[in-house]
């Protein structure tokens, strides 16, 4: 999408699995700002299967707040802004609602093209329902039967490096061609070919006119290089087309946006990638978004984006999916109260049936945040497999990130900022020095989509305060006896207010007050055996830090975090850490 220079007002709509959000941005004192937001239940599912109702409700809220008329009497978007001040100049839409697109993955080698194909599927809203490889020992007729029975929306064909394998690739192409010929006209799935690029013309010829074929760059152009982004963009179009065929209203949003609509995960990833280009190139940027159905993990390293969409992990209808990866004991270990396995299991299934419900009792609140921790921990663990060459090389510790951006309803509606901060610390366990940033209004996808037509809106809103810094985190890496000094610190506030000197002991979680908008010079001297990111264990250093809603957080509980094996002691520590970080009043 080309950039639009002469535009002041931007309207963004994000159709999520549970809620539909509308965000209005306008130029205030020469800079783009979020001026109003509306939220309504998404209506992509039964009984309406029409996203327009949820969109209209969200837009009505913006109208009530601002008085600005956004749609005309025929329910059409008013664009551009007219002489009466009604309408908007630019509209962008993102979505994660709707069914996942069913795909059959066909490739060559399990550890090469098929592995890249699986990572590609995990980076978007694609569900692999059948997989066929060159080493598949099933008879050809059985393979065809399985592909037909899967009833896919598309075939994803991968394999062969550029200029590499030809005969084996074409053998798999012939297998898929034969399968599609058995599907009636009008129901034949799209074929996306992302293999050896030199075979593109042969692949199109082999399928013929009745089967739609999309050629994209090779996702594995060489044995050592993987490139998923171009094919992911084409898959985004296919996913949007499939959803539009099943849910009404998406076509209208696409029309309003000038034919351009992004998937929420791609838009969220775009923001994370942008941040990785302006922050410390020695570190990555991590973004996490826990929704009702999907959990998105986006990691970017100097512009290299690695995106993961986990559709079996969410705090809504997909919540039971956590039971396939985590035990009830693993969920219960994050609780500061004693709850039975039956209580935990009942809450999970009731929440799945009523995804818009919120905790009303203290025990339910603690349980929701325990589930949030386990979902995040699991999702980040899965996503790490796609960070090849960018991970720290250690099987347990994460790479260094600056910042970590978090979004999702459970985090944004936390009663105290400390609840959100502690959940992120427990689940992600960042190392060294990083900043925790919260997207309380869920506008990251909107800004990602807006970066195409209005790049300055993204830059200016990111620096406007619409995102909330929870605080700077110092998490020394090392092990020691609980109570042993881990580091010494000296904090000199730029405001001239009284500074702080002291020490942090191993096993301690501590907060030093440093308000939002306040900056200070922080000098750290880790003890021998502890590393805070200044070049190795015991290395001292100083840096400028910013305050946040929680403050300056010191997490010396160890990496990886080791919880007590005694349930009672573990619950006591969970409660104590909640108090220490300011999560309880």
């Amino acid at each position: 999408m080309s950039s639009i220079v002469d535009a002041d007002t931007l309207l963004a709509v994000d159709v999520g699995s549970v809620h539909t959000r509308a965000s209005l941005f306008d130029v205030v004192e020469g800079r783009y700002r979020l001026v109003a937001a509306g939220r309504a239940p998404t209506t992509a599912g039964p009984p309406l299967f029409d996203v327009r109702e949820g969109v209209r409700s969200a837009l009505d809220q913006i109208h009530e707040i601002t008085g600005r008329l956004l749609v005309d009497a025929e329910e059409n978007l008013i664009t551009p802004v007219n002489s009466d001040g009604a309408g908007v100049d630019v509209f962008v839409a993102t979505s994660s609602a709707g069914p996942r697109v069913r795909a059959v993955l066909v490739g060559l080698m399990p550890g090469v093209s098929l592995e890249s194909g699986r990572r590609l599927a995990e980076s978007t809203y694609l569900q692999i329902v059948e997989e066929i490889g060159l080493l598949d020992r099933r008879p050809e007729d059985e393979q065809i039967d399985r592909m037909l029975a899967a009833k896919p929306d598309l075939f994803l064909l991968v394999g062969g490096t550029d200029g590499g394998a030809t005969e084996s690739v074409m053998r798999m192409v012939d297998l898929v061609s034969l399968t599609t010929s058995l599907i009636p006209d009008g129901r034949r799935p799209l074929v996306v070919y992302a293999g050896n690029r030199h075979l593109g013309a042969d692949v199109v010829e082999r399928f013929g006119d009745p089967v739609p074929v999309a050629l994209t760059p090779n996702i594995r152009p060489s044995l050592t290089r993987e490139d998923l982004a171009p094919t992911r963009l084409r898959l985004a179009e296919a996913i949007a087309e499939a959803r539009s065929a099943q849910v009404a209203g998406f076509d209208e949003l696409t029309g309003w946006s000038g034919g351009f609509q992004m998937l929420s995960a791609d838009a969220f990833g775009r923001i994370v990638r942008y941040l990785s280009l302006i922050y410390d190139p020695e570190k990555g940027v991590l973004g996490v978004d826990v929704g009702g159905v999907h959990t998105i993990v986006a990691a970017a390293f100097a512009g290299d984006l690695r995106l993961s969409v986990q559709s079996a992990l969410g705090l809504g209808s997909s919540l039971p999916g956590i039971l396939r990866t985590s035990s009830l004991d693993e969920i219960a270990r994050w609780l500061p109260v004693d709850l039975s396995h039956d209580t935990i299991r009942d809450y999970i299934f009731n929440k799945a049936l009523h995804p818009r419900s919120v905790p009303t009792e203290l025990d339910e609140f603690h349980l929701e945040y325990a589930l949030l921790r386990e979902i995040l921990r699991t999702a980040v663990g899965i996503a790490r497999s796609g960070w090849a060459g960018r991970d720290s090389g250690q099987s347990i510790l994460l790479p260094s990130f600056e910042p970590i951006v978090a979004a999702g309803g459970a985090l944004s509606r936390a009663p105290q900022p400390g609840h959100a901060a502690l959940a992120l610390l427990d689940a992600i366990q960042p190392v060294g020095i990083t900043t925790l940033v919260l997207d309380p209004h869920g506008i990251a996808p909107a800004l990602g989509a807006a970066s195409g037509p209005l790049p300055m809106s993204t830059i200016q809103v990111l620096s406007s305060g619409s995102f909330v810094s929870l605080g700077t985190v110092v998490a020394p890496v090392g092990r020691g006896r609980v109570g042993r000094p881990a580091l010494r610190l000296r904090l000199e506030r730029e405001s001239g207010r009284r500074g702080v000197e002291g020490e942090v002991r191993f096993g301690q979680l501590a907060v030093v007050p440093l308000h939002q908008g306040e900056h200070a010079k922080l000098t750290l001297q880790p003890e021998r055996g502890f590393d805070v990111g200044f070049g190795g264990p015991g290395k001292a250093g100083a840096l400028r830090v910013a305050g946040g809603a929680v403050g300056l957080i010191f997490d010396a509980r160890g990496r990886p975090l080791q919880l007590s094996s005694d349930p009672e002691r573990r619950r006591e520590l969970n409660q104590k850490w909640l108090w220490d970080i300011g999560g309880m009043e």
Side-chain angles (χ1 to χ4, degrees):
M1 179 181 288
S2 61
S3 176
I4 299 174
V5 177
D6 188 19
D8 288 342
T9 309
L10 165 71
L11 176 63
V13 167
D14 178 52
V15 183
S17 301
V18 177
H19 292 107
T20 293
R21 292 179 172 84
S23 305
L24 181 66
F25 303 87
D26 208 341
V27 175
V28 179
E29 297 181 348
R31 298 177 68 84
Y32 285 97
R33 294 289 186 268
L34 174 68
V35 296
R39 188 182 75 168
T42 292
T43 53
L48 295 177
F49 293 101
D50 188 340
V51 299
R52 288 172 291 195
E53 292 302 316
V55 170
R56 287 174 184 132
S57 296
L59 295 183
D60 285 344
Q61 292 180 29
I62 290 182
H63 174 64
E64 291 174 6
I65 294 170
T66 65
R68 180 190 291 264
L69 190 64
L70 299 174
V71 294
D72 59 23
E74 287 75 36
E75 299 290 340
N76 294 316
L77 183 71
I78 302 171
T79 184
V81 176
N82 62 28
S83 58
D84 296 327
V88 295
D89 295 313
V90 178
F91 175 85
V92 295
T94 56
S95 66
S96 60
R100 296 182 75 188
V101 172
R102 298 168 60 85
V104 169
L105 173 63
V106 180
L108 298 186
M109 303 306 295
V112 188
S113 59
L114 285 173
E115 181 180 344
S116 293
R118 285 190 292 270
R119 271 198 289 271
L120 175 62
E122 289 176 357
S123 71
T124 189
Y125 305 95
L126 202 66
Q127 180 182 10
I128 299 297
V129 292
E130 183 60 59
E131 183 177 307
I132 306 291
L134 188 63
L135 303 182
D136 197 317
R137 296 184 178 181
R138 291 174 294 185
E140 185 175 289
D141 59 340
E142 183 179 343
Q143 294 179 19
I144 293 173
D145 287 342
R146 292 295 297 270
M147 287 191 284
L148 291 172
K151 297 180 179 179
D153 299 300
L154 67 83
F155 285 93
L156 178 58
L157 263 168
V158 298
T161 58
D162 287 341
T166 58
E167 291 185 9
S168 53
V169 173
M170 294 309 297
R171 193 186 319 159
M172 305 309 289
V173 169
D174 287 338
L175 181 65
V176 176
S177 177
L178 178 57
T179 303
T180 56
S181 69
L182 301 174
I183 300 175
D185 290 341
R187 291 168 48 193
R188 287 175 177 161
L190 171 69
V191 175
V192 177
Y193 175 73
N196 183 347
R197 64 183 180 90
H198 297 295
L199 300 177
D202 294 332
V203 170
V204 173
E205 181 181 355
R206 205 64 64 94
F207 280 100
D209 293 335
V211 179
V213 179
L215 301 180
T216 70
N218 196 346
I219 64 172
R220 200 69 180 249
S222 69
L223 289 175
T224 58
R225 181 167 167 256
E226 183 179 83
D227 185 14
L228 306 181
T231 305
R232 186 165 57 233
L233 290 176
R234 182 60 186 90
L235 289 176
E237 296 175 7
I239 291 169
E241 291 168 5
R243 286 177 171 172
S244 294
Q246 300 178 56
V247 180
F250 280 125
D251 285 340
E252 185 170 324
L253 294 181
T254 301
W256 286 3
S257 62
F260 186 79
Q261 184 180 159
M262 289 190 73
L263 297 179
S264 300
D266 290 334
F268 184 75
R270 183 180 284 187
I271 286 295
V272 172
R273 179 183 179 277
Y274 166 74
L275 292 175
S276 77
L277 293 171
I278 62 175
Y279 277 84
D280 186 352
E282 299 299 318
K283 295 183 177 183
V285 173
L286 181 66
V288 294
D289 185 350
V290 183
V293 175
H294 316 280
T295 292
I296 303 168
V297 179
F301 307 86
D304 181 13
L305 174 65
R306 310 296 175 92
L307 191 60
S308 173
V309 180
Q310 298 301 318
S311 296
L313 295 173
L315 271 172
S317 58
S318 65
L319 186 53
I322 192 63
L323 297 177
R324 291 193 287 271
T325 57
S326 302
S327 68
L328 292 171
D329 283 333
E330 288 176 311
I331 297 168
R333 63 182 166 168
W334 303 112
L335 288 167
V337 293
D338 185 14
L339 297 180
S340 69
H341 283 185
D342 286 342
T343 299
I344 297 172
R345 189 183 294 106
D346 288 347
Y347 184 86
I348 289 173
F349 287 101
N350 280 324
K351 179 75 176 190
L353 291 172
H354 307 283
R356 295 189 184 94
S357 63
V358 296
T360 57
E361 299 180 1
L362 187 58
D363 285 355
E364 290 181 347
F365 168 80
H366 288 312
L367 182 49
E368 178 127 335
Y369 273 73
L371 289 163
L372 172 65
R373 286 169 168 81
E374 195 60 22
I375 287 170
L376 263 178
R377 185 195 67 82
T378 304
V380 171
I382 294 172
R384 286 186 67 176
S385 64
W387 301 349
R390 296 290 184 173
D391 218 331
S392 62
Q394 304 177 61
S395 60
I396 299 176
L397 302 183
L398 286 181
S400 295
F401 289 110
E402 172 59 19
I404 295 174
V405 180
L411 291 167
S412 62
R413 65 171 177 261
Q416 299 292 333
H419 290 113
L422 186 58
L424 294 171
L425 291 176
D426 289 347
I428 299 174
Q429 298 183 35
V431 298
I433 302 169
T434 189
T435 308
L436 299 181
V437 178
L438 186 63
D439 176 13
H441 307 292
I443 62 173
L447 296 180
S451 64
L454 290 175
M456 290 306 298
S457 67
T458 300
I459 297 169
Q460 293 173 4
V461 173
L462 281 172
S463 60
S464 70
S466 295
F467 285 64
V468 175
S469 171
L470 295 175
T472 300
V473 176
V474 178
V477 175
R479 310 258 6 136
R481 187 178 66 254
V482 173
R484 167 197 165 191
L487 63 84
R488 296 193 302 275
L489 69 99
R490 183 172 71 254
L491 184 74
E492 302 167 84
R493 293 186 173 90
E494 294 180 1
S495 63
R497 289 201 305 130
R498 183 178 178 181
V500 176
E501 290 192 43
E503 67 178 15
V504 178
R505 298 178 179 274
F506 185 73
Q508 186 179 10
L509 181 65
V511 174
V512 173
L514 191 64
H515 304 309
Q516 280 188 299
E518 190 176 12
H519 291 84
K521 178 183 178 183
L522 177 64
T523 303
L524 298 171
Q525 174 61 68
E527 298 294 332
R528 186 173 61 182
F530 289 93
D531 184 1
V532 292
F534 288 136
K539 299 281 186 166
L543 73 161
R544 186 172 187 255
V545 295
V550 176
L552 181 58
I553 306 169
F554 292 89
D555 186 354
R557 297 176 296 166
R559 294 291 185 267
L561 179 62
Q562 294 183 352
L563 300 176
S564 173
S565 58
D566 177 19
E568 184 174 351
R569 174 59 178 162
R570 189 170 60 239
R571 289 191 291 269
E572 290 176 354
L573 282 173
N574 285 332
Q575 183 68 68
K576 179 180 183 301
W577 292 334
L578 199 54
W579 279 101
D580 291 340
I581 205 168
M584 303 293 288
E585 293 185 339

